[in-house]
Amino acid sequence: MSRRLVVVLFLDLVGWTRLAERVDPEPLQRLLDEYYEICSAAVEEHGGVVEKFIGDAVMAVFGADTSQEDDAPRALRTAMRIRAEVRELRTPATDAAPVEVHCGIAAGEALVTRSARAGIRVVGDVVNLAARLQSLAVAGEIIVNETVAHLARPHYAMAPVPPVALKGKAEPVPVLLVTGEAAAGGAGEDSLMVDRGAERHRLRGIYHRVARERRSELVTVLGPPGIGKTRLVREAVDDLVAAGARPVAVFGSCQSYGTDGNYAALVEMLDALTRRAPSCAELLRTDDRIAAVLAALRDASLPRRAGAAPGPGVEEVSWATRELLTAAACGPLVVVWDNLAWGGQSLLRLIGELMEGLRDLPLLMVCVSRPELAGRDGPWSREQGVIEVGALVPADSARLAISLAGPGTGGEVELHGLDLAEQVDRVALYSAGNPLYIRLMMDWLRGGRTVEEVPPSITAMVGAMIDRLPAPARRLLGAASVIGPSFTLEQLALLGEPAPAAAVAGLAAQRLFHTTAEEGGFRFVQQPVHEVAYGRLEKEQRVSWHRRLAEHGFSPGFHLEAATRLLGGLRPDDEELPELARQAGVALLGEGTLALRQRDVPTAIGLLGRALALARTGPDRCRSVAAVRLSDALMLSGDTRGALEVVEEAAWAGPGSGPAPALVRVQRHLLAARLGKVTAAEVEGLRAAVGGEEADGSARCRFEQLRMLIHLDHGRFGAAEEAACAALGHARAVGDAYEEDRLLVALCEIRQWSPSPMAQKLAGCAELLERFAADRFLALPALAARARCLALTGDRAGARSALAEAEAVVGQLRLTMGRVLVDQVAALAASLDGEHAEAERRFCGAADALEQAGYVPVALTMRVQAARECARRDRAQEAARRIEELLARRAEMDVRGRILCMSAVVLSAAAEGRAEPMRAEVLRLLRDIDDPCLRGEVCFDLARAHRWLGEGADARAMAGLAAGSYRAVGAVKPLGTVREWI
């Protein structure tokens, strides 16, 4: 429920009552169906919603969900579209007369509500007013209130009519009659830059401060479309060069169509950087990993073909970008992100990380965007770093218009028979100070036209410009718009465009396209040209071209989704629609999974959410997998509630639907297990459901992961390893690379604690390091496990080498939790080498990070191990005090921490000559633990306790158990310590 400014459109058929008296109901119903279809399609296409049909009347609302600055013009365009298309219909009466409508539009404040049963409902006086205005209009007329006229007058011609008395209104209401669309004109380049001196001066001042202090800064340039933001920044850079400065300035522009702008802008910027900065080019020649990341980014920025392998993870992208920017910043560096409002969340996050990590570089980061960016989280939200670009004042608008009229023109010069001064004044008025509007208008005026001949809105002006092109050029422009803001000749040829190279060159000469770095690549010069060209295409044509691009592997998720949406609007009952929606869902699922494998979580959430929305029509496997993957992504983002809601029973309930599929039910239990809210009985009950679905290998895979998690919670590492291997087998059987990656990493970590011999553990590490050679984030657990295994086998040099490599990965990719993993292994290695102070420091560091992240049970285990290292440094009293404090929290610990804490208490008591009753509890816990190294450590604690108490036989027995545990797994280093003690 929300209170907002909305635009309400009411229209109905003229003479419907008299027609119904004369015509049979059946042909009359067919006419009404055609009329409803025209109205629904027009409202949907213009971004509105049909609130209700009332007989022959239609009520539509614009701005109900999200207000747009052009809601009033959209409503007017909808009314005119319906009026024109309805006139093509014929009444089923004997005279077969054309059908007419009359329309009323009102804007005002209303309360908007939405419910599953009633849909959108709008409550307020504006609804009644729109209905009254509609009743005033005669056939073919559109009557609006003053608010609509104020919002839409730059776009439409209005004629005032005498104020009218309306029922329920105390005073006459001012109204206007829409008489037609206003008019305006084309585009030009290299025009005069006016009224931007203050903004340019401020940008230059910030640059000089960055260069002088060698400290990075971020500045945001905000303004509406066409106001000249990008031009302002480029002129400021040119000013610096003209004044003798030598900045390395590079630009990256985000796209608003298709992919969400994460990689295209980044690749454009990095490619420019390697061209402009010799140090970057040298770095690419000498560092194969950075070169590989950049090459993979280039591939990812192109329309993605089906079956593409995952690109570099977001950590690698961030690292490579930092390295290239650092290499380029020998002198002052200017990085400009254009159209950043279209940037994906991952790009925005990267920009924030770059500013945080590169503070000590002479780097000026300039974010150029529409005002919408200010509402998104990021460093641009700081007011002191924002430059707002406003509209030109009328005098400067006129000055720009005169400069665009051509050389030799003056106040009295006529432009194709028109008085220049008069036209300039009108252009300055209708442009509202927008330089792009002015350029388009003056280009139109050069053709001998007047302002009245085309609408002054940017969309209408671009549409008029497109109409002046030959039919083949208009078709090519439309085909390019379906591909996206950037396209290639290969893609145009795929859509059946004959001789595209020559045709594209012709449009490039008219400055509608410009070339890109990609071979045969082009890009729309102006975003409005792309948007209008796309909107003017017939929906049937758009559907056809979207499907063709998807069939050839170009961004299949996006194009199939667009085709589904368009076809659903055209023919909701089309028999192809369910299959098309299924294909779109499958494609989006694949692309979302790829993003998830790269840990690009915001992108994955968006893609998987769209896949799930498309798959909601039926409980097929795509829907189940999309729900589970989306649940995974939401968990990674920290949204536990969202992860649960996606798979909860209510999300799958519906008329005639049964229980959720087994895969979804298993995921629900997996999430519950992570929260400690699942019982053994529930797991056994789930086993029968999973076993009953013969073909659902994914459900079995997740079920084994559930078993693995429960075994880990109880310290049964051998059983957990067995379950993980079973899950891996199911993942490989169904060809699920995403699950395979996750399980291989999990296996590598579990095997550190399982009874598997060291040789098998090291072989698993080697397999993982080979598999994830290009993804160091996933390779990190294998590096850490390898270091641990080598330390236990006594290979000190090998362990230190693996740790050094792991440390480098953590440092370069800035992995907080990776630091915890490395600290744990480094602490173990230091302890085995007798460096107990270093081991204590590392365990404490890991505990601090884990507590900050909310992982309390594991953090407490690290605290216990740090206290044990303190005891080994002959600080028995301090260690005993810390252990005593931790013992009070043993209920919060995992099994490992609990038994290590209790065995330390037993050992401390024995050192004082006391037999601790807790020893029986330690032995009970020990029976359920199959981690050989943990068993060895605890048994050795008990052996020493027995000796201090004078219980020699028990001491030898326990020492034998410790030695046997270490020997069974091949832990040579601690085994030697036990043997020496014996």
Side-chain angles (χ1 to χ4, degrees):
M1 181 181 298
S2 62
R3 186 182 295 272
R4 59 174 64 245
L5 180 69
V6 298
V7 181
V8 178
L9 161 65
F10 256 99
L11 56 84
D12 72 358
L13 296 172
V14 176
W16 176 258
T17 303
R18 285 184 287 110
L19 184 65
E21 293 173 350
R22 297 183 291 123
V23 178
D24 185 82
E26 290 188 17
L28 208 59
Q29 182 60 48
R30 285 194 292 271
L31 172 65
L32 205 58
D33 287 342
E34 291 182 86
Y35 164 65
Y36 284 166
E37 178 61 29
I38 288 171
C39 293
S40 297
V43 170
E44 179 188 341
E45 184 162 330
H46 290 91
V49 292
V50 174
E51 207 260 14
K52 66 181 73 171
F53 293 106
I54 316 167
D56 64 318
V58 177
M59 173 185 166
V61 186
F62 295 79
D65 278 329
T66 304
S67 296
Q68 303 288 346
E69 58 189 5
D70 61 345
D71 280 330
R74 289 182 191 216
L76 279 164
R77 286 196 293 272
T78 301
M80 290 186 167
R81 156 92 170 266
I82 292 172
R83 182 177 64 182
E85 294 190 8
V86 165
R87 282 173 177 166
E88 300 296 320
L89 302 178
R90 291 293 180 267
T91 64
T94 53
D95 58 358
V99 180
E100 288 280 5
V101 295
H102 54 144
C103 176
I105 305 176
E109 190 177 72
L111 191 67
V112 180
T113 64
R114 178 187 286 275
S115 69
R117 182 180 295 275
I120 285 181
R121 287 291 179 265
V122 180
V123 180
D125 182 59
V126 65
V127 177
N128 299 325
L129 179 56
R132 299 284 185 272
L133 296 180
Q134 176 258 311
S135 65
L136 284 175
V138 300
E141 283 188 343
I142 302 171
I143 292 182
V144 302
N145 71 340
E146 270 191 322
T147 307
V148 171
H150 175 74
L151 293 170
R153 188 178 279 115
H155 307 268
Y156 290 89
M158 310 274 183
V161 297
V164 296
L166 297 178
K167 183 179 179 181
K169 297 290 184 181
E171 299 292 335
V173 177
V175 297
L176 297 95
L177 174 68
V178 179
T179 59
E181 298 186 10
E189 296 265 347
D190 303 321
S191 57
L192 177 69
M193 184 79 173
V194 297
D195 190 34
R196 299 295 186 225
E199 294 90 342
R200 289 159 70 176
H201 176 76
R202 185 176 171 191
L203 274 173
R204 292 195 301 269
I206 295 171
Y207 167 83
H208 288 306
R209 183 167 64 241
V210 167
R212 181 177 61 254
E213 298 177 2
R214 296 189 68 81
R215 295 278 293 177
S216 64
E217 288 195 36
L218 182 142
V219 62
T220 307
V221 180
L222 296 178
I227 206 68
K229 305 179 292 294
T230 305
R231 175 79 181 278
L232 163 67
V233 174
R234 291 188 182 276
E235 292 279 346
V237 172
D238 290 343
D239 290 346
L240 291 169
V241 174
R246 291 291 180 267
V248 174
V250 292
F251 288 70
S253 184
C254 300
Q255 301 179 1
S256 66
Y257 180 92
T259 56
D260 61 6
N262 281 327
Y263 290 130
L266 181 59
V267 169
E268 182 182 357
M269 185 275 288
L270 292 177
D271 279 342
L273 199 62
T274 57
R275 291 193 302 270
R276 295 290 310 279
S279 54
C280 284
E282 179 61 24
L283 182 60
L284 283 183
R285 283 193 294 270
T286 57
D287 194 315
D288 292 340
R289 185 175 289 277
I290 293 178
V293 171
L294 185 53
L297 278 175
R298 289 193 190 99
D299 291 340
S301 69
L302 302 176
R304 183 171 283 164
R305 292 185 180 272
V314 292
E315 304 86 358
E316 294 283 358
V317 171
S318 178
W319 166 74
T321 305
R322 287 196 309 272
E323 293 296 310
L324 287 167
L325 288 173
T326 302
C330 302
L333 176 62
V334 180
V335 176
V336 182
W337 303 101
D338 201 8
N339 295 321
L340 197 56
W342 305 124
Q345 189 61 39
S346 298
L347 178 61
L348 301 186
R349 183 174 60 192
L350 172 63
I351 293 172
E353 291 173 358
L354 293 174
M355 293 307 300
E356 184 69 20
L358 302 177
R359 293 179 178 177
D360 296 321
L361 292 183
L363 166 64
L364 174 58
M365 194 84 77
V366 184
C367 299
V368 182
S369 174
R370 297 182 180 190
E372 293 87 337
L373 180 68
R376 301 174 71 177
D377 290 337
W380 39 81
S381 58
R382 300 166 190 152
E383 292 184 4
Q384 66 270 25
V386 175
I387 297 176
E388 294 189 3
V389 185
L392 300 176
V393 298
D396 284 320
S397 296
R399 183 181 166 205
L400 174 60
I402 291 173
S403 74
L404 290 166
T409 59
E412 303 302 322
V413 177
E414 290 189 353
L415 189 64
H416 291 275
L418 303 174
D419 181 75
L420 177 63
E422 178 185 354
Q423 294 302 324
V424 163
D425 287 342
R426 300 183 74 179
V427 165
L429 176 65
Y430 281 105
S431 70
N434 188 302
L436 175 61
Y437 282 36
I438 296 170
R439 289 198 297 272
L440 291 171
M441 287 180 180
M442 295 306 296
D443 184 65
W444 183 262
L445 292 176
R446 286 195 190 90
R449 301 170 181 83
T450 65
V451 175
E452 288 78 13
E453 292 176 322
V454 292
S457 76
I458 187 68
T459 303
M461 283 186 276
V462 171
M465 184 195 313
I466 293 174
D467 278 340
R468 290 156 48 198
L469 297 171
R474 290 200 302 270
R475 177 179 169 85
L476 187 148
L477 202 65
S481 74
V482 172
I483 299 166
S486 299
F487 57 91
T488 66
L489 297 178
E490 175 195 359
Q491 293 163 340
L492 282 174
L494 184 66
L495 298 184
E497 287 307 299
V504 170
L507 291 174
Q510 297 181 54
R511 290 182 249 186
L512 293 176
F513 302 146
H514 64 68
T515 58
T516 64
E518 184 182 0
E519 184 178 354
F522 291 84
R523 183 180 179 87
F524 281 86
V525 172
Q526 295 283 358
Q527 184 68 28
V529 175
H530 168 244
E531 293 173 352
V532 174
Y534 183 81
R536 292 166 66 88
L537 284 173
E538 292 182 5
K539 285 188 176 181
E540 293 281 9
Q541 182 64 78
R542 284 187 247 170
V543 170
S544 173
W545 278 344
H546 278 304
R547 294 182 74 168
R548 195 178 306 172
L549 288 164
E551 287 166 3
H552 286 79
F554 291 103
S555 300
F558 169 76
H559 287 294
L560 287 170
E561 183 185 28
T564 301
R565 183 176 60 251
L566 291 165
L567 186 58
L570 281 172
R571 296 185 297 280
D573 298 326
D574 193 298
E575 62 182 14
E576 291 188 6
L577 190 57
E579 175 59 19
L580 187 60
R582 189 196 67 79
Q583 293 174 8
V586 169
L588 287 169
L589 172 59
E591 293 171 13
T593 300
L594 201 63
L596 198 53
R597 291 178 69 189
Q598 296 168 208
R599 279 95 49 213
D600 189 351
V601 177
T603 299
I605 290 173
L607 289 167
L608 293 168
R610 286 154 56 194
L612 184 58
L614 284 166
R616 286 198 187 279
T617 53
D620 61 359
R621 186 175 185 276
C622 175
R623 183 185 180 193
S624 303
V625 175
V628 170
R629 300 277 161 87
L630 179 58
S631 179
D632 286 349
L634 289 167
M635 279 296 289
L636 286 173
S637 74
D639 185 2
T640 304
R641 175 177 292 183
L644 288 165
E645 288 175 352
V646 169
V647 293
E648 68 182 5
E649 195 67 46
W652 295 80
S657 64
L663 176 59
V664 174
R665 280 178 280 159
V666 174
Q667 177 71 2
R668 200 180 301 152
H669 282 78
L670 257 173
L671 295 175
R674 289 195 174 100
L675 300 173
K677 298 178 180 179
V678 70
T679 65
E682 288 173 327
V683 174
E684 287 307 310
L686 197 59
R687 183 193 297 275
V690 172
E693 298 191 11
E694 295 181 3
D696 197 352
S698 296
R700 289 178 176 154
C701 176
R702 285 276 161 150
F703 178 73
E704 293 297 339
Q705 292 179 51
L706 173 60
R707 290 182 60 240
M708 174 189 78
L709 191 61
I710 291 172
H711 286 312
L712 287 174
D713 285 343
H714 291 82
R716 299 190 292 264
F717 296 99
E721 181 182 5
E722 180 186 341
C725 287
L728 182 60
H730 290 306
R732 285 172 170 166
V734 297
D736 193 332
Y738 165 71
E739 294 283 23
E740 190 176 352
D741 282 355
R742 296 172 70 246
L743 287 163
L744 283 170
V745 173
L747 259 175
C748 182
E749 294 181 345
I750 291 169
R751 280 177 175 155
Q752 293 185 70
W753 325 109
S754 77
S756 299
M758 287 294 171
Q760 185 178 346
K761 298 177 195 287
L762 288 168
C765 293
E767 178 187 354
L768 224 63
L769 289 171
E770 182 179 356
R771 181 184 179 94
F772 299 130
D775 191 336
R776 291 182 292 171
F777 178 88
L778 292 179
L780 180 62
L783 282 171
R786 183 166 177 263
R788 183 178 187 274
C789 291
L790 292 173
L792 288 167
T793 58
D795 185 351
R796 181 178 182 180
R800 290 185 181 274
S801 173
L803 274 172
E805 192 174 349
E807 293 267 16
V809 171
V810 167
Q812 291 175 358
L813 301 187
R814 302 190 178 185
L815 305 175
T816 301
M817 297 312 294
R819 169 64 59 194
V820 171
L821 180 61
V822 171
D823 276 344
Q824 291 182 58
V825 177
L828 171 69
S831 181
L832 290 171
D833 287 337
E835 300 170 0
H836 300 299
E838 172 66 7
E840 181 182 358
R841 184 185 71 80
R842 291 279 197 162
F843 278 131
C844 286
D848 291 341
L850 285 163
E851 283 177 352
Q852 190 173 358
Y855 297 107
V856 175
V858 188
L860 289 173
T861 299
M862 296 298 103
R863 297 278 181 219
V864 169
Q865 291 186 296
R868 291 169 64 88
E869 294 301 323
C870 179
R872 289 169 182 147
R873 295 172 59 198
D874 296 327
R875 292 161 55 189
Q877 287 187 342
E878 179 187 346
R881 177 185 55 78
R882 287 159 62 177
I883 287 292
E884 194 66 32
E885 291 173 356
L886 289 164
L887 186 65
R889 301 183 64 185
R890 65 181 180 275
E892 301 174 57
M893 297 178 187
D894 57 22
V895 174
R896 184 181 194 83
R898 197 177 311 133
I899 194 169
L900 285 173
C901 186
M902 294 168 69
S903 69
V905 170
V906 171
L907 191 60
S908 178
E912 297 174 359
R914 293 183 293 108
E916 171 57 55
M918 198 174 289
R919 182 172 55 183
E921 177 67 10
V922 172
L923 290 171
R924 187 190 65 78
L925 287 175
L926 199 60
R927 284 196 296 270
D928 295 329
I929 290 174
D930 59 0
D931 174 359
C933 291
L934 180 58
R935 287 180 63 84
E937 187 171 2
V938 173
C939 287
F940 192 36
D941 280 351
L942 297 179
R944 287 181 289 160
H946 282 303
R947 178 176 286 185
W948 285 338
L949 293 172
E951 300 165 353
D954 289 337
R956 287 191 295 275
M958 277 297 169
L961 288 175
S965 295
Y966 287 134
R967 185 169 49 250
V969 78
V972 175
K973 184 73 172 178
L975 175 61
T977 302
V978 174
R979 283 175 170 168
E980 184 179 344
W981 181 87
I982 292 174

